Amino acid sequence: MNCGMAVQEKLSKLAAMSSDSNRSANQWRSRFRGRSHQEAHANASQTPAKIPHLPGVCRDSARLIDDAGDLAEMLEHLRESGSFAFDTEFIGEMTYTPHLCLIQVATATRIALIDPLSSLDLGGFWQLICDEAIEKIVHAGLQDVEPAARLLGKSPQNVWDTQIAAGFMRLAYPVSLSKLVDQLLGVRLPKGLTFSNWDNRPLSSMQLRYGADDVRYLPAVRAAQFEALHSAGTLGWMRSECAEAVRMERFVFDANQELSRFRGATGLEKKPLAVLRQLIRWRSAEAQQRDLPVRALLRDEWMMEMARKQPKTIEQLGRVHGIARPVLQDDGDAILAAIALGLSEDGSDLPQLEVIEETPASRFTADSLFGLVQSLGAAVGIDPALLINRQQVSVLAQHLEEPDAAAVPLMRGWRLEAVGRHLLEILKRKRTCQLGWERGGLFLQS
């Protein structure tokens, strides 16, 4: 067998392996969702847990809304209430844009499940999400509010994220909804149905109950959090972080941001980095057009090898380890065009991907700095995970004399006010830090 035939045979085997692997993963997800869905219907006859009598908790059964008139009436109720809880159920692993299957809403007096699969016009609902006059209560709600930004081109407004709020009140961040509801309200939520077939109709009574309980307790959780945050003086910081979490930039594709998060990109020189950025742009646009997950179209490891080797022909592209034959046949020319475009750029607008090589001594310094920031955060009642991560600490340790606020969020906004200024004063020896221990937590001694 000659070399060319051997290469082609190997490519065919790799393509088949890749196709089989994707098919196997999809089949596993489908079977998993199917079992969960069957369990939801099988358990429909079980008696659901009683809903406790608590202020702000609606005890009514959820109403399923699939009629335009009922939707209009519910939207008017939400608008008049001035504040409502909100959650969604979607299936996201098989498409570029998550497939929205259910919208749950609740106030202290009413609870409803809106069916997006019933051809309802949801424009009015998404307008509410972007209405600054109306508060939306969510839990880890970035994906829940994303359709409003995508469909209206406007950022969500006045969002109270209970997961973020928990991090400002001496509770762990991130925290699950079930643990937060148990901690603040003493209520045990039923086991979730996250992998259920939410796009199947009719929904079982267990699915309806689970969907309802995802929002039922949020108004009461928000009320408890407001009292705690107001008393601690951290309410303004929390609101700032919630607003930051849903700013419009979070929902807009940015090739430079994607590049900065791409694993291995920091080790690339300018030309390979420019090629990788063009591949990222092409993959995102093409996956969106086909409504496919980006990595189902082109894997990260293929793109890294393309960026390094910079193939100029289909034959050279075919030597990329593991690349599937259908990709070469269907998209080879477009991929080569993206690579050529990257090679033609001068790279002057590429983001600065700083690689910090830590020596044993500098790593010890950074670890010490990290410990200090964590202690200061805990002392003022903020989970350190909201303040800074280890990579940002490394950047900060390299620029202690003139900290870069653009690179280190701790040096700007509420983080600077809450912890950053204390850190700078300690580092400049303008003050010392005395910590005490009280009621299971650190506090700053004056």
Side-chain angles (χ1 to χ4, degrees), residues 37-49:
H37 185 72
Q38 290 170 4
E39 290 171 3
H41 282 274
N43 293 333
S45 61
Q46 294 183 0
T47 303

Side-chain angles (χ1 to χ4, degrees), residues 320-333:
V320 171
H321 180 70
I323 192 168
R325 184 186 294 254
V327 174
L328 294 175
Q329 293 174 340
D330 299 339
D331 302 308
D333 290 338

Side-chain angles (χ1 to χ4, degrees), residues 376 379 422 431-438 442-446:
L376 289 171
H422 297 298
R431 65 168 291 182
T432 58
C433 176
Q434 289 185 295
L435 300 175
W437 185 268
E438 184 178 57
L442 290 170
F443 70 95
L444 278 173
Q445 292 182 329
S446 57

